Amino acid sequence: MSLEEEEDSTWLLALESALHEGVDDHELIGITRGRILPDEHRAQIWYTCLGGGNKLSDFTQFDEIFDLQEQSVVRADCKALVDKLGNEEEDKVSVVCDVESIFTHYCKTRHLKYDSSLLWADLVLPLLAGKMPRDHIYICFEETLEKYVPRESGVGGPVYHLLRLLLLYHDPELSTFLDSRKITPDLYATSWMRSLFASVCSLDATMALWDIYFQERDPFFILFLSLVILVNAREQILEMSSEGREHIITTLSGIPSGLSIDDISDFCSLARYYIIKTPGTFRKVCKENVGCRDFATVIFGSVYMGHGEVCNRVGDLPLSQALCLPVSAEEIIDTCDLLQASPEDIEQMLQHPASFQTAVQGLFMAQRQAVASETPGCGQHLCFIGSGREQEDQYVHMVVASFLQRNTQYVSLAKGGYHAIHDLLVHNINESLADHDSKRCLVCAPDSQSHSSEPADHEDFIASPKPQQSFMNKFSSLSSVFKMRSVEMKEKLVEYITNPNGESLTIDRHVSPQDRGKLYRNQGDVFSIEDEDGDSSRENDRFEVVRLSQWLKKPDVVSSFSCHQVKENGYMYKCHLLLMDTLLFVIRESEIKEGEGHVTARRTLASIVKITSKKRHPDLITFKYGTTSPDGEVTITDMDRFLIPKASEATKVIKEQIMKQMEAAKS
């Protein structure tokens, strides 16, 4: 028995024992850990994960009176649904009656008018296929509909505005293309949202997807699954620039139909990856004088409150008018050790566009090099922070718009600007906010002449002891827009303006993909793009505990890559790949103690026989280890799978190092 088969056997035995003992959903999820479920246990696990064991249903009180105004439509939909299941003729009447009872009772108790376009028939189909008792089907239908299907899923629903903002954040070029064709998410994603993909995917794929979905217990998961579908089909979508709008909408709507059961684990892993890469504020509704409240209760939930109240609450949301993804002041403070107040000096953009372009290029250049050298506090995300005053912040919006027009990824805007951040830090303002000057602060001294509403005076808002009118100081103002906590980064940005050609801008870094070595010669390319059927990643039994900072600075480290290791159950762990002369180390970041890591794998470069990626998921990389016989036959003995940003660059560096080792061995 292989290691993978032994592990499968172990968790299945644990699952069967837990189900026999009647454990709660938390213990079950601790065992299943995001896996696709066995057919024989699916119904029981779905029921438990959806809270069926703790819910008292009123379905037993159904009066069996079928007198809805739309009853004939309900019955027709139920008959069409049962025909899809292929039951024996003698069973069909009973199943039709059960489904009609479920829909009728739900409409009566919720005071709803039945509407076929809501796709309830598609939503209940997987539950019927799971062969649940009738009362369990009703509870699971009710819970799925009210926990995971957006309450307002029609045209203009808030969930679609949120999906558009997420797409704009992660793939602005694709978002801009769809906007230019006036193709909003409610035109192609309605069936995805209303049926949790059941109306567009095969039944097998839908049931596998729901296995993981119900274990996630995150109503927003549907948004990131939708995001993955769009981003991974971006080339196909962008190539339709000459097609008509209706053709594009139809094509978009049908993209999930290509998902097979073998795609589901990777599909969900990528969704988790995008969740990690997204600010968490999107889950909150933040309004002035109200604070933040859970967005899930606004988009999802019971319809008991009635349509009028739903419309009023949704109508107050600013999503449809949002320029980009908003980030709350709370989240900015939580993710920064040092927060600098940031003015938006727009005079440069309006009156000196050439200088503004130079400043922006400097920002991007320093950002790229800081990311490459793993400068603490610097990353790919750009959070713009305005003053928090409406008249001034209209100029901030112009800067944000200019970055979005460049198709810049990961652009967000701080809600409430500096004013909101100041309010949160007010009890410890001088210690928490660098260079805070209460005499010049626009919050502490709102009537001070130092902060005129004219754009030319915006640099006075900088928390800086020596304000200057020079171009370098203006650029310092712009650079502070970039959410960072590194003073060193700011100095290098200013240095770029002194020397825009970049000769004096030096950042110590590891070997980059541009530092090309010799490529393979007379060798078959082991770095192929192909589909794999599975993953048998394993971990060492004992993990060595190390200090990450020390290992990343080891002199024998050729290059390092921040990534996420993807396990066979779809769970991901933040880790680092350390490439050395002859070895590849996998160091997983400690979830308990910051700065520590665990050496989970030590691979020799000679053992790497293949590196593959899926065509639809180019950043999901699988390293295959094994041996090659004298006659060229490859035997795979182990695998590791990683999500690596810009994976092609990482694999190129590793490939070059393998080649160097091979040439050294020959000599």
Side-chain angles (χ1 to χ4, degrees), residues 64-183:
E64 300 293 338
I65 298 176
F66 301 91
D67 57 355
L68 294 177
Q69 185 177 354
E70 314 81 28
Q71 199 69 52
S72 61
V73 179
V74 176
R75 186 166 293 118
D77 285 353
C78 293
K79 289 180 178 178
L81 168 65
V82 173
D83 287 340
K84 292 181 182 180
L85 289 172
N87 294 70
E88 298 293 335
E89 288 299 324
E90 56 268 24
D91 295 331
K92 285 187 176 181
V93 175
S94 175
V95 178
V96 168
C97 183
D98 288 345
V99 178
E100 187 175 1
S101 298
I102 290 170
F103 291 170
T104 302
H105 181 68
Y106 189 80
C107 285
K108 286 187 172 183
T109 56
R110 300 306 193 273
H111 308 290
L112 295 174
K113 181 178 180 180
Y114 181 81
D115 184 348
S116 297
S117 67
L118 294 176
L119 304 182
W120 288 1
D122 292 294
L123 196 66
V124 83
L125 178 60
L127 304 177
L128 290 171
K131 302 187 184 304
M132 297 181 179
R134 189 175 85 151
D135 58 329
H136 284 200
I137 292 176
Y138 181 83
I139 290 176
C140 289
F141 168 74
E142 179 183 69
E143 291 297 299
T144 302
L145 192 60
E146 297 183 355
K147 284 183 178 178
Y148 299 115
V149 176
R151 189 170 53 238
E152 289 293 303
S153 58
V155 175
V159 69
Y160 303 114
H161 296 308
L162 189 53
L163 176 56
R164 178 190 168 275
L165 290 176
L166 291 173
L167 181 61
L168 180 64
Y169 187 76
H170 290 281
D171 196 332
E173 181 181 6
L174 180 56
S175 178
T176 299
F177 170 76
L178 294 175
D179 286 348
S180 70
R181 304 302 295 270
K182 293 183 171 55
I183 299 175

Side-chain angles (χ1 to χ4, degrees), residues 358-379:
T358 302
V360 171
Q361 292 304 318
L363 174 63
F364 285 147
M365 179 179 177
Q367 180 196 22
R368 285 193 298 270
Q369 295 196 13
V371 171
S373 64
E374 299 186 353
T375 302
C378 297

Side-chain angles (χ1 to χ4, degrees), residues 293-496:
R293 55 194 174 105
D294 191 356
F295 210 159
T297 61
V298 177
I299 292 184
F300 306 93
S302 172
V303 296
Y304 266 129
M305 62 186 66
H307 291 291
E309 185 176 349
V310 172
C311 290
N312 289 335
R313 293 176 66 186
V314 170
D316 291 336
L317 300 181
L319 287 178
S320 59
Q321 288 80 40
L323 178 62
C324 63
L325 196 70
V327 176
S328 69
E330 292 89 345
E331 183 167 9
I332 292 173
I333 291 174
D334 286 344
T335 54
C336 291
D337 293 335
L338 174 63
L339 185 65
Q340 299 184 18
S342 303
E344 285 18 92
D345 187 352
I346 314 305
E347 181 189 22
Q348 191 178 63
M349 183 178 73
L350 298 178
Q351 300 183 17
H352 308 287
S355 298
F356 178 77
Q357 297 301 326
T358 302
V360 171
Q361 292 304 318
L363 174 63
F364 285 147
M365 179 179 177
Q367 180 196 22
R368 285 193 298 270
Q369 295 196 13
V371 171
S373 64
E374 299 186 353
T375 302
C378 297
Q380 298 173 317
H381 301 258
L382 301 172
C383 183
F384 290 83
I385 306 175
S387 67
R389 301 196 296 194
E390 184 176 354
Q391 183 176 358
E392 294 169 350
D393 284 352
Q394 62 181 314
Y395 298 109
V396 180
H397 295 164
M398 294 172 64
V399 172
V400 173
S402 73
F403 275 78
L404 293 175
Q405 288 170 0
R406 297 167 180 268
N407 295 326
T408 307
Q409 285 183 295
Y410 312 130
V411 171
S412 60
L413 184 63
K415 288 187 67 66
Y418 171 74
H419 201 297
I421 293 169
H422 188 285
D423 288 347
L424 288 174
L425 300 176
V426 66
H427 297 298
N428 197 28
I429 191 69
N430 291 325
E431 289 76 16
S432 301
L433 196 58
D435 299 327
H436 177 261
D437 185 346
S438 59
K439 295 180 180 179
R440 297 174 55 244
C441 172
L442 65 83
V443 179
C444 298
D447 299 326
S448 171
Q449 294 182 355
S450 64
H451 18 83
S452 163
S453 61
E454 293 300 316
D457 293 329
H458 284 177
E459 68 260 31
D460 289 339
F461 166 63
I462 283 189
S464 173
K466 295 182 179 180
Q468 301 176 4
Q469 298 295 328
S470 68
F471 172 74
M472 285 182 60
N473 192 58
K474 290 174 183 283
F475 180 72
S476 174
S477 303
L478 176 64
S479 69
S480 61
V481 170
F482 184 16
K483 189 179 73 173
M484 65 180 92
R485 47 186 184 233
S486 171
V487 175
E488 175 190 3
M489 179 69 169
K490 182 176 177 181
E491 292 170 350
K492 295 187 186 304
L493 284 168
V494 176
E495 183 179 351
Y496 175 80

Side-chain angles (χ1 to χ4, degrees), residues 510 545-557 578 580 587 595-596:
H510 300 303
V545 179
V546 298
R547 294 292 300 174
L548 277 173
S549 58
Q550 294 176 359
W551 272 64
L552 291 170
K553 294 178 181 177
K554 278 178 174 283
D556 51 346
V557 173
L578 269 63
M580 299 189 179
I587 302 182
E596 284 192 353

